[in-house]
């Protein structure tokens, strides 16, 4: 369903064309904004879209190849009817009667989710939107909606700066003919500098408060920008990170050669395998800990200068949750297939230890004499602990004896931070020879 034309459409079109933005080339500042919108909203597609008479034209785009589409197919055209401050959100286009038959939904790019923040002039005309798009139904969080609004205002600030500079150039040409060029140049420069500084402050505020770590590097892989989330994620303060090579700080040694070769190939041939898409890799913290991240890198060229903006997100918690779900599923499958507890116990014990990252697991049961005996022992593959294994399988513990006996006596979990120095851990010598230190039961 095509969006109806808003009131005052001729005036809105005139306002759009007065900015002189239609059909202009790529500009880094707008590409920075769409890249940031894509990552803050976790959306594969982000656009700066201007709605013209018969088309919507994209000044900047992430995740979409085309530069324009017919206005009759435009989601953004519906945003022209919004009240000030509103954001057009379509959680699932396939069930929304306005869009269910739209070719952008039924065919490529198979849009399902859309959120667009209007680009509003000081005079109240809506020129288009800054929008994010996904191929699955979803919602945005309140923080993401607020960020999208802020970024849309940043687009307008940049448009106004662009228009002010164009006006100043025109005025300069006129005044030059009348001998007043110096005064006009100074006034124009002050205006442009003030607008530029305001834009830079707003951009820095948004980027610095982004939920992702945002890092920029030059073509020598030296860090030029490092936001506060990068400080929290990797443990390096900005003043210690800026100027250093990326590989020295956050890339594990095993991956550094591949990073260097990938950079060399892109600079030489323009070919890349990791740019402009989300990938999952392993990163390195300041303390040497390696952890999984989701990464997206966007190259940005301005004149002869080439920079790369990277958006990185620690996905350790997500991976642990995925691992937990997989473990729960496997355990349920084991329990469902077993007819007796004894059949299921060994595999359940092993899966539990693998998920928790423990190298040893033991199942203790009370025998007829009210003593605890190990009925199953699990050892991580590659662990060399023959003495500890023999001692564990042959030992019996009564209430209060050893770690199992203490649990029986106290009726609650017991944690031993260092078994070698614990006075009530009879298997300490075998544990020490196997390199085992802590224990819980």
């Amino acid at each position: 369903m095509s969006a109806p034309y808003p009131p005052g459409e001729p005036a809105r079109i005139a306002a759009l064309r007065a900015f002189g933005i239609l059909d202009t080339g790529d500009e880094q500042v707008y590409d920075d904004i769409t890249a940031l919108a894509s990552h803050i909203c976790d959306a594969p597609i982000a656009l700066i879209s201007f709605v013209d008479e018969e088309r919507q034209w994209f000044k900047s785009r992430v995740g979409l190849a085309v530069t324009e589409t017919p206005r009759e197919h435009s989601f953004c055209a519906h945003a022209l009817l919004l009240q000030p401050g509103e954001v057009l959100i379509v959680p699932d286009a396939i069930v929304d009667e306005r869009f269910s038959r739209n070719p952008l939904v039924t065919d490529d790019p198979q849009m399902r989710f859309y959120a667009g923040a209007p680009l509003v002039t000081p005079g109240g005309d809506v020129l288009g939107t800054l929008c994010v798009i996904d191929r699955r139904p979803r919602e945005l969080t309140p923080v993401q909606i607020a960020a999208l609004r802020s970024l849309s205002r940043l687009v307008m600030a940049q448009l106004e700066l662009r228009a002010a500079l164009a006006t100043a150039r025109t005025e300069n040409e006129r005044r030059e003919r009348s001998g007043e060029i110096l005064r006009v140049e100074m006034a124009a420069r002050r205006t442009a500098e003030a607008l530029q500084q305001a834009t830079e402050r707003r951009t820095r505020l948004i980027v610095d408060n982004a939920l992702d770590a945002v890092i920029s590097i030059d073509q020598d892989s030296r860090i030029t920008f490092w936001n506060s989330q990068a400080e929290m994620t990797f443990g390096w303060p900005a003043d210690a990170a800026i100027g250093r090579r990326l590989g020295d700080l956050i890339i594990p040694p095993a991956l550094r050669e591949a990073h260097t070769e990938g950079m060399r190939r892109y600079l030489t041939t323009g070919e890349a395998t990791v740019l402009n898409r989300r990938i999952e890799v392993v990163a390195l913290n300041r303390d040497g800990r390696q952890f999984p991240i989701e990464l997206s890198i966007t190259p940005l060229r301005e004149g002869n200068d080439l920079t790369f903006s990277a958006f990185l997100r620690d996905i350790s918690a997500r991976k642990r949750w995925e691992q937990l779900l997989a473990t729960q599923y496997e355990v349920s499958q084991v329990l469902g297939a077993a007819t007796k507890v004894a059949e299921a116990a060994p595999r359940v014990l092993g899966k539990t230890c693998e998920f928790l990252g423990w190298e040893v697991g033991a199942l203790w049961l009370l025998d007829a004499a009210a003593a605890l005996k190990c009925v199953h022992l699990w050892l991580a593959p590659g662990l060399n602990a023959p003495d500890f294994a023999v001692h564990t399988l042959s030992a019996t513990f009564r209430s209060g004896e050893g770690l199992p006996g203490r649990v029986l006596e106290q009726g609650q979990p017991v944690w031993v931070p260092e078994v070698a120095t614990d006075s009530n851990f009879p298997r300490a010598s075998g544990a020490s020879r196997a390199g085992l230190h802590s224990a819980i039961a």
Side-chain angles (χ1 to χ4, degrees):
M1 178 186 301
S2 300
Y5 280 51
E9 176 65 358
R12 190 195 69 81
I13 292 294
L16 171 61
R17 295 184 176 177
F19 277 97
I21 192 69
L22 295 176
D23 299 312
T24 55
D26 294 343
E27 296 180 56
Q28 179 177 333
V29 65
Y30 298 103
D31 292 341
D32 286 345
I33 295 171
T34 48
L36 191 56
S38 170
H39 289 279
I40 290 176
C41 296
D42 195 22
I45 299 173
L47 307 167
I48 294 175
S49 172
F50 294 104
V51 181
D52 200 4
E53 281 185 297
E54 303 294 336
R55 59 172 179 160
Q56 63 174 353
W57 177 79
F58 308 133
K59 171 61 180 174
S60 178
R61 59 200 187 280
V62 170
L64 195 67
V66 299
T67 59
E68 62 179 63
T69 63
R71 178 168 174 163
E72 62 187 25
H73 299 162
S74 172
F75 280 55
C76 300
H78 290 263
L80 304 182
L81 305 170
L82 295 178
Q83 296 299 313
E86 291 184 332
V87 174
L88 176 62
I89 297 180
V90 182
D92 187 355
I94 206 72
V95 298
D96 190 315
E97 64 179 10
R98 295 172 296 176
F99 307 110
S100 60
R101 297 181 181 179
N102 191 306
L104 301 178
V105 176
T106 58
D107 299 321
D108 286 339
Q110 297 184 327
M111 294 168 52
R112 294 293 294 273
F113 167 80
Y114 171 93
L119 304 175
V120 186
T121 69
D125 292 307
V126 180
L127 307 183
T129 71
L130 170 65
C131 64
V132 291
I133 296 166
D134 210 331
R135 296 181 177 88
R136 59 183 177 87
R138 51 172 293 198
E139 294 278 4
L140 292 184
T141 67
V143 171
Q144 290 171 324
I145 293 172
L148 196 62
R149 285 196 189 99
S150 296
L151 289 171
S152 71
R153 292 192 291 269
L154 189 59
V155 173
M156 285 309 305
Q158 196 61 39
L159 284 175
E160 291 162 22
L161 172 61
R162 197 176 189 280
L165 291 174
T167 300
R169 283 194 295 269
T170 301
E171 185 67 9
N172 280 350
E173 293 170 359
R174 188 184 70 81
R175 294 297 180 100
E176 186 174 18
R177 291 191 294 269
S178 61
E180 299 180 11
I181 182 62
L182 182 60
R183 183 174 64 82
V184 173
E185 278 185 348
M186 293 298 294
R189 187 175 303 164
R190 286 193 295 271
T191 300
E193 287 175 352
L195 286 169
Q196 185 66 39
Q197 289 169 4
T199 300
E200 290 175 354
R201 285 195 299 270
R202 188 177 295 177
T203 303
R204 181 59 60 91
L205 180 64
I206 293 171
V207 172
D208 214 37
N209 288 279
L211 299 178
D212 291 345
V214 182
I215 302 172
S216 294
I217 62 172
D218 62 19
Q219 59 190 34
D220 294 323
S221 288
R222 293 196 179 276
I223 296 166
T224 59
F225 179 78
W226 184 272
N227 77 340
S228 57
Q229 188 61 41
E231 293 182 327
M232 296 175 61
T233 301
F234 298 103
W236 293 95
D239 57 1
I242 292 175
R244 297 185 62 180
R245 291 188 184 278
L246 185 70
D248 296 337
L249 259 64
I250 71 169
I251 299 178
L255 301 177
R256 289 173 186 170
E257 184 177 348
H259 166 74
T260 301
E261 174 58 23
M263 179 70 81
R264 184 202 63 76
R265 183 175 61 250
Y266 180 75
L267 294 176
T268 304
T269 68
E271 297 177 357
T273 58
V274 301
L275 297 182
N276 296 314
R277 65 188 185 93
R278 287 191 181 90
I279 59 173
E280 292 183 7
V281 295
V282 176
L284 185 70
N285 195 296
R286 186 177 186 177
D287 61 11
R289 177 178 63 90
Q290 296 189 19
F291 60 99
I293 62 168
E294 186 178 72
L295 165 69
S296 179
I297 306 174
T298 303
L300 303 167
R301 185 178 293 278
E302 189 172 21
N304 294 325
D305 295 328
L306 178 63
T307 61
F308 300 86
S309 291
F311 298 82
L312 311 95
R313 181 174 300 176
D314 184 351
I315 56 173
S316 301
R318 190 184 83 193
K319 288 295 184 182
R320 290 289 289 174
W321 177 249
E322 292 173 353
Q323 186 181 3
L324 173 60
L325 292 177
T327 300
Q328 289 177 333
Y329 175 77
E330 291 182 29
V331 167
S332 67
Q333 292 291 97
V334 171
L335 293 175
T339 58
K340 298 179 181 179
V341 173
E343 294 178 10
R347 291 185 62 189
V348 170
L349 182 64
K351 292 298 180 183
T352 303
C353 290
E354 288 174 354
F355 171 71
L356 295 174
W358 290 87
E359 294 182 288
V360 176
L363 178 63
W364 300 84
L365 295 178
L366 283 170
D367 63 13
L372 286 167
K373 182 173 180 59
C374 178
V375 297
H376 183 73
L377 179 68
W378 179 88
L379 301 178
L383 178 66
N384 185 21
D387 295 342
F388 182 78
V390 169
H391 196 169
T392 298
L393 291 170
S394 62
T396 58
F397 294 111
R398 297 189 178 278
S399 180
E401 296 176 349
L403 178 59
R406 277 183 277 179
V407 174
L408 180 63
E409 179 184 56
Q410 298 175 22
Q412 62 184 14
V414 175
W415 164 255
V416 179
E418 179 53 70
V419 298
T421 59
D422 189 87
S423 60
N424 191 5
F425 197 92
R427 298 169 291 158
S429 60
S432 296
R433 284 193 291 273
L436 303 174
H437 296 279
S438 54
I440 189 171

